Amino acid sequence: MNVRKIIQQMTTNALVLEKLTSTISYEQAVWKPTPQKWSVLEVVHHLLDEEKLDFRTRLKLTLEGKGEAWPPFDPQGLMTEHKYNDQDFEKILSLFLDERAESLVWLQKLENPQWEFYYDHPKIGIIRAGDLLVSWLEHDLLHLRQLLNLQIEYQKSQYPPFNSKYASP
């Protein structure tokens, strides 16, 4: 595992997220293709919560190697409790970028991390610190793909009477 490359990719992911969302309106930020799907704002708020309450926190605990229980984390419950789609998009994006910057500084300062240290999760089983790091990166990429798909779906909703069938026959 090349930790330096993972940190570089996580840095790039934050920049991509910022650029990808830089031109969207509030209307687009809260728009959902269906009531069950997430909006751009909900995705970004989820990333914020994951950054500070899940990945960084749990990776720190795992690297400490004390077997300390991870704090509970309920992404769906947080979305409902904090009414993600009622929040200020620019503020949430800014908070995410600040948290990501803090995560990156922390990751860069780690000295001889023991990536094999693990947490025995009651439902998933053994999760090593290295597993958490690569999961954090993949989580980013999955949500960037989700944000791209939301951009496409939103744009398609704005086209009528025209369509984009020529884009992907």
Side-chain angles (χ1 to χ4, degrees):
M1 174 174 76
N2 186 333
V3 176
R4 205 166 94 231
K5 283 194 83 75
I6 290 172
I7 292 170
Q8 288 173 341
Q9 183 63 55
M10 289 174 67
T11 302
T12 299
N13 293 348
L15 294 171
V16 168
L17 175 67
E18 183 177 26
K19 293 296 183 191
L20 183 62
T21 60
S22 66
T23 61
I24 67 170
S25 63
Y26 182 76
E27 174 191 333
Q28 185 177 351
V30 299
W31 177 85
K32 296 179 173 199
T34 68
Q36 298 78 27
K37 289 193 176 182
W38 289 9
S39 69
V40 169
L41 176 51
E42 289 169 328
V43 172
V44 174
H45 205 305
H46 167 73
L47 287 168
L48 167 62
D49 284 345
E50 288 282 344
E51 193 75 19
K52 64 181 181 177
L53 302 174
D54 185 3
F55 285 106
R56 188 174 67 224
T57 298
R58 291 176 174 196
L59 183 55
K60 280 181 181 180
L61 288 171
T62 305
L63 285 171
E64 289 170 1
K66 298 176 185 172
E68 189 177 331
W70 286 353
F73 183 71
D74 176 12
Q76 195 63 42
L78 286 169
M79 182 184 307
T80 304
E81 179 184 334
H82 295 138
K83 300 179 181 176
Y84 283 4
N85 227 29
D86 294 340
Q87 304 299 314
D88 179 277
F89 177 71
E90 290 181 17
K91 178 181 177 187
I92 297 302
L93 176 60
S94 178
L95 288 170
F96 167 75
L97 294 171
D98 290 346
E99 289 293 334
R100 174 51 59 93
E102 186 175 325
S103 295
L104 294 168
V105 167
W106 174 73
L107 286 167
Q108 290 166 344
K109 287 183 178 181
L110 289 176
E111 292 184 25
N112 300 316
Q114 300 300 308
W115 298 111
E116 293 297 326
F117 279 8
Y118 66 89
Y119 176 72
D120 192 359
H121 192 281
K123 293 181 182 175
I124 302 170
I126 300 297
I127 302 175
R128 297 167 297 178
D131 299 327
L132 278 171
L133 183 63
V134 299
S135 294
W136 194 353
L137 173 60
E138 187 168 324
H139 183 263
D140 270 8
L141 296 170
L142 291 169
H143 284 297
L144 285 173
R145 179 176 63 191
Q146 181 183 20
L147 289 168
L148 283 169
N149 286 335
L150 280 166
Q151 290 262 15
I152 292 166
E153 291 180 60
Y154 179 79
Q155 291 307 320
K156 283 183 177 184
S157 77
Q158 304 301 302
Y159 295 158
F162 303 102
N163 67 64
S164 59
K165 65 184 175 188
Y166 186 71
S168 59

